[in-house]
Amino acid sequence: MEIESCLFQVVAAAQDATNTRRKDSTIVESDLEKALNSGGKMSPLGNRKVMSDWIVNIGEYALDIRLSRIHFRGTNKNDEDSKTASSSQNNENKIVVLGEHTLFCITIRGELIYQRRLDYDPISMCTYRVNPFVNASVHNIILASTDSVAFMYVSK
């Protein structure tokens, strides 16, 4: 029920330390097997705690997570702050999380910038570029529901 971000270097350093520790010991069982056999009481990186950059509590289970270039307009078009924020946030990737009842949009710095309560039960999500020939093109979202209906959310 939380989205947690860790730096790749931190995870890699923890993994390297675990591998070094395993080579020095006589235990042949891998750390992943230990974690699976412990019933989730231990992380795959042994007893090392990986420090996260940020944690966002979304309050429901995540069904799908995508990194996309989504652009949401502010609710008030005359608000200068929302125009400035929208234009600066349009140029960066965002983390789009499909929850059991909600669609979340989180910046790569861990700020929740958008959430939409869904009045249907979603089962999957797909994001795609509006212009497939441009790398910096914004993305649209397609959500599928349990009623065999697809919902499209278009970036503006």
Side-chain angles (χ1 to χ4, degrees), residues 53-122:
D53 277 351
W54 50 262
I55 298 174
V56 175
N57 184 0
I58 61 172
E60 58 188 66
Y61 292 109
L63 302 175
D64 200 354
I65 300 174
R66 304 284 172 129
L67 185 64
S68 299
R69 193 176 301 265
I70 303 294
H71 174 55
F72 296 105
R73 285 195 183 194
T75 55
N76 187 356
K77 293 181 183 178
N78 296 326
D79 187 9
E80 290 300 321
D81 292 336
S82 70
K83 286 182 184 178
T84 306
S86 307
S87 62
S88 66
Q89 290 174 354
N90 191 26
N91 296 328
E92 67 180 22
N93 286 324
K94 295 172 191 67
I95 302 164
V96 181
V97 180
L98 177 63
E100 294 175 310
H101 305 289
T102 313
L103 181 67
F104 299 95
C105 185
I106 304 168
T107 65
I108 56 174
R109 293 177 305 281
E111 301 163 357
L112 181 64
I113 58 171
Y114 180 82
Q115 77 180 50
R116 180 184 178 107
R117 184 82 174 163
L118 305 173
D119 57 350
Y120 54 88
D121 294 325

